[in-house]
């Protein structure tokens, strides 16, 4: 008769969980700094590999430690992924939505408003790299926490931002600035597709493409196709 299989004691995991909870409550400066550094590294790894492919071992290696040490700061990959977004992505979306509302109310034509919105998105993505890009590139429906109130709020605010863009393009058609033979919903999808696709190739500090060059090029390409002949 073979000996019974050995079982790994659960005390180490439960003890580490208690230590983590205690450290998060006490909020020591050194602990919080390391936790913030780990979040930045996790964001980079998620950006490069995607949520599904990235592992805690990948993140730990970049952090300069082993996988077990990650549990002192986070309960696992899903919590890391949530933390990457919960503070940063919500803050960015709130700020961008408020600025989009302000731009929509300006006493300028639709062309100028849309140009400002393109600039807003690109500069915001760069300023908050890589968190927003990770949010964009992931199929969020595959992540369990998408049923949470936080996720529903993010979806609602994203739709609100898109509706502002739709209204501006529609007003541009009415005022004779933009072509009337194009379907506005498709124009909106084309705009967001163009801007959001930068997550595949744009990186802040890259000498190949600057923020200003990207904004100017996208605006020229988009508006030359959207502008009504003779406008």
């Amino acid at each position: 008769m073979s000996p019974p299989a050995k079982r790994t004691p659960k005390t180490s995991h439960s003890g580490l969980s208690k230590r983590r909870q205690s450290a998060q409550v006490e909020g020591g400066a050194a602990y919080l700094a390391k936790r913030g550094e780990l979040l930045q590294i996790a964001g980079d790894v998620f950006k490069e590999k995607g949520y599904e492919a990235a592992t805690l071992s990948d993140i730990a290696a970049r952090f300069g430690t082993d996988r077990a040490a990650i549990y002192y700061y986070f309960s696992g990959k899903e919590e890391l992924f949530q933390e990457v977004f919960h503070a940063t992505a919500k803050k960015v979306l709130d700020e961008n939505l408020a600025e989009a509302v302000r731009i929509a109310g300006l006493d300028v034509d639709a062309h100028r408003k849309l140009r400002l919105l393109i600039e807003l998105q690109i500069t915001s993505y760069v300023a908050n790299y890589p968190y927003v890009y990770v949010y964009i590139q992931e199929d969020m429906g595959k992540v369990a926490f998408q049923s949470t109130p936080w996720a529903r709020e993010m979806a609602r605010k994203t739709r609100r931002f898109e509706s502002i863009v739709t209204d501006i393009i529609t007003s541009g058609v009415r005022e004779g600035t933009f072509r009337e033979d194009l379907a506005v919903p498709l124009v909106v999808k084309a705009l967001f597709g163009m801007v959001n696709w930068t997550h595949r190739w744009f990186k802040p500090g890259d000498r190949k493409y600057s923020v200003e060059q990207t904004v100017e090029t996208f605006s020229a390409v988009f508006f030359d196709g959207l502008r009504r002949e003779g406008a």
Side-chain angles (χ1 to χ4, degrees):
M1 182 176 179
S2 60
K6 293 182 180 180
R7 294 184 179 180
T8 302
K10 295 182 179 180
T11 53
S12 59
H13 285 293
S14 61
L16 190 56
S17 176
K18 291 178 181 178
R19 287 177 58 204
R20 180 178 64 250
Q21 292 171 7
S22 176
Q24 289 177 357
V25 170
E26 293 173 2
Y31 176 85
L32 293 178
K34 278 291 185 182
R35 198 170 187 272
E37 180 185 350
L38 182 53
L39 275 178
Q40 178 68 48
I41 289 172
D44 289 336
V45 173
F46 289 139
K47 170 72 173 61
E48 295 168 11
K49 299 194 170 200
Y51 175 77
E52 296 294 338
T55 67
L56 284 181
S57 296
D58 295 329
I59 297 169
R62 192 80 60 91
F63 192 50
T65 187
D66 57 28
R67 176 189 172 115
I70 300 292
Y71 293 105
Y72 180 53
Y73 300 96
F74 296 94
S75 63
K77 187 173 81 166
E78 184 173 316
E79 185 186 8
L80 260 170
F81 194 62
Q82 291 185 45
E83 286 288 332
V84 164
F85 297 128
H86 274 213
T88 305
K90 182 179 183 302
K91 175 178 176 290
V92 171
L93 190 52
D94 285 346
E95 291 175 350
N96 285 0
L97 186 54
E99 180 63 9
V101 170
R102 186 193 71 82
I103 291 172
L106 293 176
D107 187 20
V108 295
D109 64 16
H111 181 286
R112 177 59 179 164
K113 290 178 181 179
L114 207 53
R115 170 65 170 72
L116 289 172
L117 285 176
I118 293 175
E119 183 177 1
L120 168 65
Q121 287 183 278
I122 295 295
T123 56
S124 174
Y125 293 169
V126 171
N128 296 281
Y129 184 91
Y131 303 115
V132 180
Y133 274 163
V134 178
Y135 178 81
I136 291 170
Q137 78 183 33
E138 286 299 328
D139 179 357
M140 303 301 285
K142 294 180 180 178
V143 183
F145 63 85
Q146 280 308 288
S147 61
T148 64
W150 175 86
R152 290 194 294 270
E153 180 187 5
M154 292 288 285
R156 179 180 60 80
K157 290 179 178 178
T158 298
R159 289 194 297 270
R160 173 61 178 141
F161 191 96
E162 291 174 354
S163 72
I164 291 173
V165 174
T166 300
D167 290 344
I168 290 174
I169 293 175
T170 301
S171 69
V173 173
R174 286 199 303 263
E175 70 188 21
T177 301
F178 299 150
R179 293 167 56 175
E180 59 183 16
D181 60 321
L182 302 178
V184 171
L186 290 180
V187 173
V188 174
K189 291 181 184 298
L191 176 59
F192 281 105
M194 179 177 66
V195 173
N196 290 345
W197 194 252
T198 57
H199 80 83
R200 295 294 297 271
W201 53 267
F202 189 86
K203 187 172 184 178
D206 188 347
R207 296 181 180 180
K208 196 171 184 180
Y209 306 110
S210 67
V211 175
E212 294 76 14
Q213 184 182 20
T214 302
V215 172
E216 290 299 331
T217 300
F218 279 13
S219 297
V221 169
F222 191 75
F223 290 123
D224 281 348
L226 185 61
R227 185 180 292 113
R228 181 181 178 185
E229 186 177 352

